């Protein structure tokens, strides 16, 4: 068992991958629970820009993604904390 302290959210306006500036995927690579996947931005085109998608069931809100996001001055991915922590 563990504690779920929040859930990651993506601000696509800040995300380098979502803006098409570069392929990033830092959030996906460093997520300890595998809650983030880079998926095609256009579900009908596998070659479209890959953007991060959060599996809210797997995300524990640890903040690894937020800490390692290269977007500046603000991270494009952030953890929204839960008012009450949940046991998972």
């Amino acid at each position: 068992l563990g504690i779920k302290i929040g859930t990651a959210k993506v601000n696509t306006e800040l995300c380098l991958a979502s803006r098409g500036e570069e392929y990033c995927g830092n959030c996906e690579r460093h997520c300890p629970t595998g809650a983030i996947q880079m998926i095609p931005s256009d579900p009908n085109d596998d070659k479209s820009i890959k953007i991060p998608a959060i599996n809210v069931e797997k995300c524990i809100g640890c903040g690894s993604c937020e800490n390692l996001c290269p977007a500046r001055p603000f991270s494009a991915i952030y953890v929204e904390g839960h008012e009450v922590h949940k046991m998972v």
Side-chain angles (χ1 to χ4, degrees):
L1 287 177
I3 297 176
K4 183 175 178 120
I5 60 173
T7 303
K9 306 282 184 187
V10 179
N11 180 335
T12 54
E13 292 179 13
L14 297 176
C15 178
L16 301 177
S18 295
R19 294 189 330 207
E21 292 183 20
E22 63 181 68
Y23 176 80
C24 181
N26 264 5
C27 51
E28 177 187 49
R29 282 191 299 280
H30 296 286
C31 179
T33 64
I36 304 170
Q37 279 189 297
M38 298 300 284
I39 63 167
S41 55
D42 178 350
N44 300 315
D45 181 5
D46 286 342
K47 295 182 182 183
S48 63
I49 295 167
K50 303 265 193 256
I51 59 171
I54 314 297
N55 179 327
V56 296
E57 297 301 315
K58 287 184 172 183
C59 179
I60 59 171
C62 70
S64 291
C65 54
E66 183 174 359
N67 188 46
L68 295 164
C69 178
R72 295 292 177 258
F74 303 105
S75 293
I77 192 163
Y78 61 95
V79 174
E80 199 168 87
H82 294 302
E83 214 169 289
V84 176
H85 297 172
K86 300 174 185 173
M87 295 301 288
V88 292

